Amino acid sequence: MARALPPIAALLLLAAAPLLSACGGPAEGALDIAFVDGGATVDNPDPARDLRLTSAASHMRAATETGLVTLNAAGEVVPALADRWIVTEDGLSFIFRLRDGEWPDGSDLTAESVRRRLRSALRRLDGTPLGLDLRSVADVRAMAGRVVEIRLAAPTPYLLHLLAQPELVLVHEGGGTGDMVLEQQGRAAVLVMRPPAARGLPEQADWSDHVRPLLLRPMTIQQALAGFDEGSIDLVLGAGIADWPLANTGPLSRGTVRLDPVLGLFGLHVRHAEGLLATDAGRETVALAVDRAALIEPFGIGGWTPTNRMVAPDLPADPGLVGERWAAVPIAQRQAAAALRIARWSAANGGQAPRLTLALRRAPGLDRLFDTLAAQLATSGIRLERVAADAPDADLMLVDRVARYGAPEWFLHQFDCGVQRAGGLCVSAADALVAQAQAASDTAGRTRLLAEAEQALAQANVFIPFGQPIRWAQVRSSITGFAPNAWGFHPLPPLAEIIR
């Protein structure tokens, strides 16, 4: 029988009391972190309801709750509630051995209790792109007392990376399962480390001397960078191309601006098949007119790679079945061809130049992006106008999204007809090909079907790719536990550790 224990959160907050001011002010000695992704409040969202997470919410959920596995600072999958696992030779079974320990309320950490919570987490993802990523999961079984098996209908090489996502945390009613516990302080939050035993580690008498609290605050990019310059902020997270013009990349910054080499989607999603955008050829005309390399040139970001592909090129398992579109055609020739098409379209539509609207919020980097894009399209005779980011009738919307794992399925699932909540054209035939690929038992068949799905979406021109997304952080040189990675995700627990 599990012995009753006081809630771990209450014990930790009591132990952390000296760190918190009596009036609810910031924690003394804390590492100050500002999140700037849209200015969202820093809170502890309910994992059972909130699936569309901001960067701040994702980081806090991963710190205060955990799943079978998690991500480390380098973006690699590491043990969490499961301390080891094996994959069967056919790739159809992942078997996890749970670590010794208990849930936060003192109840036993058993295979059956994990099975129930994992099934619940999977059900919550129905109707989302992550749910599509996980549809090969056929069953979750409790085997021996601490052994859980996930059975698959077809091999899913990226399953571990999916299980490490914040949406797949295993929520326990008796308290958080993550390495840290959160204390809300208005719009800010203080996170403190749990004792080693609660994190599945050996007991350590002086453990609290080697960790520090984290103070998380939601800020605008201007506030965050001003605080960084004056020394009140140690780390700025959640910044992207919208904020890049404000980054301090000069000689005095001493390398504090760190770019994440992220994978993902960055380009225009067509929302309405009307006017010039009513046909595949019309949408292709817009894609032809975009000079992708010149689009990012005003930002001065070295190493950025443009692409015409929907799926990021050169993924680890990319067999090369899909190449760059128009790779042998110079940009001047492409733009001339687009101008000729526009002239013909205008002549057939009363002589008026086509007018397109782009939903885009106001920000320094997005202002620069829009001005360059509008000038490029204008050279081919297309008039681009900017409307509010939430305008429902906009012809185009900017997609700026970091991938969760490095496989074609993630990219293709973003355009699935069943998960289009913000509007946007889709191709049901491509969705069917992706579903067939996920059900395929052989690698060659799977790869061929995914390539056909990408080609179907490219031919329909529902998305106009620019290249890889841009994510960056401002990091004080003294900080340890931070590492740029392909997912733009920086776990909080390593940042709380003090290197001895």
Side-chain angles (χ1 to χ4, degrees):
M1 177 181 299
R3 57 190 177 88
L5 293 176
I8 187 67
L11 288 176
L12 283 170
L13 291 177
L14 184 62
L19 298 171
L20 310 177
S21 72
C23 61
E28 295 180 7
L31 186 72
D32 287 298
I33 302 174
F35 278 96
V36 299
D37 59 325
T41 57
V42 174
D43 57 14
N44 191 21
D46 178 1
R49 295 193 301 269
D50 181 13
L51 293 176
R52 290 190 167 272
L53 303 177
T54 63
S55 175
S58 295
H59 281 77
M60 282 192 299
R61 181 176 298 180
T64 58
E65 307 280 357
T66 195
L68 290 171
V69 292
T70 191
L71 298 177
N72 66 10
E76 303 163 330
V77 176
V78 294
L81 292 181
D83 58 15
R84 57 186 182 274
W85 54 85
I86 61 170
V87 184
T88 57
E89 188 174 347
D90 59 7
L92 296 177
S93 178
F94 283 65
I95 301 172
F96 298 86
R97 173 66 166 82
L98 303 178
R99 72 190 189 194
D100 293 334
E102 301 169 329
W103 293 105
D105 65 354
S107 59
D108 291 335
L109 179 64
T110 65
E112 177 57 30
S113 63
V114 167
R115 182 193 70 88
R116 290 196 309 270
R117 288 166 176 81
L118 182 54
R119 282 186 168 181
S120 175
L122 292 170
R123 284 194 299 270
R124 292 197 303 270
L125 292 171
D126 285 346
T128 69
L130 272 178
L132 295 176
D133 295 332
L134 289 157
R135 70 178 152 198
S136 61
V137 174
D139 195 12
V140 181
R141 302 177 182 177
M143 299 175 71
R146 291 186 183 271
V147 179
V148 175
E149 180 190 24
I150 298 180
R151 294 286 300 171
L152 303 173
T156 307
Y158 47 82
L159 180 66
L160 287 174
H161 221 102
L162 284 169
L163 293 174
Q165 300 305 311
E167 290 85 351
L168 268 295
V169 297
L170 303 183
V171 181
H172 184 73
E173 299 78 6
T177 57
D179 286 349
M180 308 190 81
V181 63
L182 177 148
E183 163 75 356
Q184 196 72 37
Q185 294 191 2
R187 296 183 70 242
V190 175
L191 284 88
V192 295
M193 292 291 280
R194 288 149 54 93
R199 291 180 270 139
L201 301 173
E203 291 283 3
Q204 183 181 341
D206 61 346
W207 69 273
S208 60
D209 296 335
H210 305 290
V211 295
R212 58 189 166 192
L214 305 180
L215 177 62
L216 277 58
R217 319 187 206 210
M219 291 185 171
T220 65
I221 184 65
Q222 293 86 350
Q223 292 170 333
L225 294 181
F228 188 91
D229 288 342
E230 70 182 19
S232 61
I233 296 295
D234 300 303
L235 175 62
V236 180
L237 295 176
I241 191 170
D243 314 307
W244 180 256
L246 301 175
N248 183 0
T249 58
L252 298 180
S253 66
R254 296 188 299 278
T256 59
V257 174
R258 309 287 295 277
L259 275 163
D260 280 308
V262 294
L263 300 172
L265 291 167
F266 180 45
L268 302 179
H269 194 177
V270 179
R271 297 181 69 177
H272 302 294
E274 299 172 356
L276 178 65
L277 303 177
T279 64
D280 295 354
R283 297 188 291 271
E284 183 185 54
T285 300
V286 181
L288 278 169
V290 178
D291 184 348
R292 288 153 181 81
L295 195 63
I296 299 299
E297 187 175 323
F299 293 87
I301 299 175
W304 185 82
T305 305
T307 184
N308 291 308
R309 289 188 57 185
M310 301 188 72
V311 173
D314 302 322
L315 292 178
D318 187 354
L321 297 180
V322 180
E324 291 289 335
R325 304 172 75 190
W326 319 302
V329 183
I331 182 59
Q333 188 174 335
R334 295 208 315 261
Q335 291 179 329
L340 181 60
R341 293 187 187 186
I342 293 302
R344 291 172 178 168
W345 186 92
S346 296
N349 289 271
Q352 293 186 341
R355 169 185 172 272
L356 303 177
T357 54
L358 171 60
L360 196 66
R361 68 182 177 90
R362 292 286 175 180
L366 298 182
D367 295 345
R368 187 177 297 182
L369 179 71
F370 176 82
D371 290 344
T372 306
L373 180 62
Q376 289 184 3
L377 296 185
T379 63
S380 297
I382 302 170
R383 178 183 172 190
L384 184 66
E385 297 181 0
R386 187 177 191 169
V387 295
D390 58 354
D393 56 350
D395 299 309
L396 304 163
M397 62 181 174
L398 181 70
V399 175
D400 183 7
R401 195 173 302 155
V402 177
R404 301 298 190 95
Y405 59 96
E409 290 91 325
W410 181 88
F411 296 85
L412 301 173
H413 281 156
Q414 306 307 303
F415 301 98
D416 189 277
C417 295
V419 299
Q420 292 301 320
R421 290 188 174 92
L425 301 190
C426 60
V427 180
S428 57
D431 299 343
L433 288 167
V434 178
Q436 292 175 44
Q438 285 187 283
S441 57
D442 64 300
T443 301
R446 181 190 191 100
T447 300
R448 176 181 55 80
L449 289 165
L450 290 172
E452 290 178 10
E454 182 183 353
Q455 289 168 336
L457 283 165
Q459 184 176 1
N461 292 284
V462 300
F463 181 66
I464 301 170
F466 295 159
Q468 67 197 80
I470 293 167
R471 294 293 185 273
W472 59 279
Q474 194 98 22
V475 187
R476 202 163 299 286
S477 58
S478 58
I479 287 182
T480 58
F482 176 95
N485 62 73
W487 323 116
F489 185 81
H490 303 285
L492 300 178
L495 294 169
E497 297 175 358
I498 300 173
I499 302 300
R500 305 186 191 194

